[in-house]
Amino acid sequence: MLPFTEHIGCIRLLFDFGLVVLIWMVQLIIYPSFMYFRKTDLLSWHDIYTKRISIVVIPLMFGQLFLGIFQLVQALNFYTLVSMVLITAVWVSTFAQFVPMHHAISKGNTDGLVLKRLVQRNRLRTFIWSAIFILNAMALFS
């Protein structure tokens, strides 16, 4: 049987995996697809999309955050510190950049630049969430 902290690491890896799969789908499929909608259709779909994706994203992000904090408190080391810095960076990026962009789209700003900016700026979140997953997997299986 695994020690308690390794159980937490396994559970955390599931949250990290869920987020990395989700962010790659958002980067490669969802955000680019916004550019193919007519304005009225995008506004209708965006409202549905943001409500539904939140049901998936919010529990995953909070789970990752709480487990990351737990791991940091249990063992302050390079891995847990870097992991929390990266998790914090994703949260800051999400609420400082993406929430406002989604609000702009919801209010009718479906300009091509806004939609392209979603894809371009999401590259950083995609990289960070990928790095978090890889870092946690390496820490867990090393």
Side-chain angles (χ1 to χ4, degrees):
M1 185 173 253
L2 293 171
F4 180 69
T5 54
E6 287 189 32
H7 283 296
I8 295 299
C10 289
I11 294 167
R12 163 79 194 281
L13 191 62
L14 291 173
F15 280 89
D16 295 344
F17 182 71
L19 284 163
V20 81
V21 168
L22 180 66
I23 199 66
W24 276 99
M25 289 175 55
V26 167
Q27 181 65 24
L28 297 175
I29 300 166
I30 297 169
Y31 283 172
S33 74
F34 287 178
M35 290 182 245
Y36 293 95
F37 284 89
R38 282 181 267 134
K39 182 176 181 167
T40 56
D41 294 334
L42 179 56
L43 293 175
S44 296
W45 168 242
H46 187 264
D47 184 52
I48 295 166
Y49 162 76
T50 54
K51 288 175 183 161
R52 290 182 182 175
I53 199 82
S54 295
I55 294 168
V56 176
V57 172
I58 291 170
L60 287 173
M61 284 183 70
F62 272 106
Q64 183 184 58
L65 177 66
F66 290 138
L67 291 170
I69 291 169
F70 179 82
Q71 288 176 315
L72 183 67
V73 169
Q74 291 298 307
L76 177 58
N77 56 41
F78 177 78
Y79 154 71
T80 59
L81 188 59
V82 170
S83 182
M84 276 311 303
V85 167
L86 293 173
I87 291 169
T88 302
V90 167
W91 276 74
V92 168
S93 175
T94 298
F95 289 98
Q97 294 181 339
F98 291 90
V99 169
M101 280 192 279
H102 282 290
H103 281 298
I105 293 169
S106 292
K107 293 200 183 303
N109 186 353
T110 60
D111 181 78
L113 291 175
V114 171
L115 301 179
K116 286 179 185 176
R117 198 174 304 134
L118 269 176
V119 175
Q120 291 168 345
R121 291 188 181 172
N122 196 56
R123 288 180 189 144
L124 178 61
R125 285 195 313 178
T126 304
F127 173 78
I128 294 171
W129 259 319
S130 298
I132 290 168
F133 172 72
I134 292 166
L135 179 67
N136 193 21
M138 287 174 51
L140 190 61
F141 296 116
S142 63

